[in-house]
Amino acid sequence: MDGYIVGIDPGNKVGYAILDLDGNLVEISSFKGNISKILLEISKYGKVLLIGTDVMKVPKFVKKVSVQLGAKVISQEYNLLLREKRKKTKAYLKKINTKLKDMHQLDALAAALVAYRHVKSLFNKIDNEIKDEKISKEVKKIVLVENIPIKHALEKIY
């Protein structure tokens, strides 16, 4: 089962963006709903390893989702400003030729991208050490979930 990074924008209308471990957009959406609905929506893709938020204080909604999914939360050192969110997402959206439907999707994508960038150097290190893509993905999942060094994750696989 693949692992994913999710950005969540809670509120009356919930936005979410799902990235794979290579930073590729898997799904982005927004809807009026609750925790049950978002859990159903995002868990159908696979194991959520990280959840990103675009604010410093992790919202209760995001905390509850992370607990239910057993995912680690990546929050910001400060609340991201709208112009920062636009800057973080603009080139990414252009590259994948995608347009967003609303601000909730923008917030969610910005949160997912920040969470991805938080672990990108670790992922690059794993990819440089392990040339087999399937094993590399497994090591990434183990390192994130169990918070252990790459060496120990490899020992668990072999």
Side-chain angles (χ1 to χ4, degrees), residues 13-154:
K13 193 169 185 183
V14 178
Y16 70 90
I18 302 173
L19 305 178
D20 66 16
L21 297 183
D22 295 319
N24 300 309
L25 185 64
V26 173
E27 176 68 38
I28 190 160
S29 186
S30 54
F31 57 84
K32 288 191 180 205
N34 54 25
I35 288 179
S36 299
K37 186 170 180 183
I38 194 156
L39 287 170
L40 183 66
E41 290 295 317
I42 63 179
S43 62
K44 68 183 176 189
Y45 292 93
K47 174 80 173 135
V48 177
L49 303 174
L50 293 176
I51 297 176
T53 181
D54 61 350
V55 293
M56 187 170 69
K57 186 173 188 261
V58 179
K60 288 180 186 177
F61 184 93
V62 173
K63 282 182 187 176
K64 288 179 182 178
V65 171
S66 73
V67 168
Q68 289 288 320
L69 297 174
K72 182 178 175 181
V73 177
I74 304 295
S75 62
Q76 305 306 301
E77 292 179 10
Y78 62 92
N79 295 343
L80 288 179
L81 301 173
L82 179 59
R83 72 177 184 281
E84 291 174 295
K85 293 176 202 179
R86 285 187 174 138
K87 184 178 179 184
K88 289 180 183 302
T89 59
K90 185 178 180 180
Y92 184 85
L93 290 167
K94 187 175 182 179
K95 184 177 83 174
I96 62 171
N97 195 26
T98 300
K99 293 200 186 292
L100 302 176
K101 294 180 180 160
D102 57 40
M103 292 303 295
H104 305 288
Q105 291 181 6
L106 175 78
D107 291 350
L109 181 58
L113 290 172
V114 169
Y116 175 72
R117 288 185 187 117
H118 182 79
V119 294
K120 190 173 189 234
S121 62
L122 173 64
F123 285 1
N124 287 341
K125 184 177 179 181
I126 292 168
D127 288 338
N128 289 336
E129 287 185 30
I130 304 163
K131 299 303 177 196
D132 184 305
E133 188 177 322
K134 192 173 184 179
I135 293 172
S136 178
K137 281 186 179 188
E138 285 305 310
V139 169
K140 289 173 186 176
K141 287 192 282 188
I142 292 169
V143 166
L144 287 181
V145 171
E146 298 183 26
N147 199 26
I148 61 174
I150 297 168
K151 180 181 175 184
H152 293 126
L154 274 169

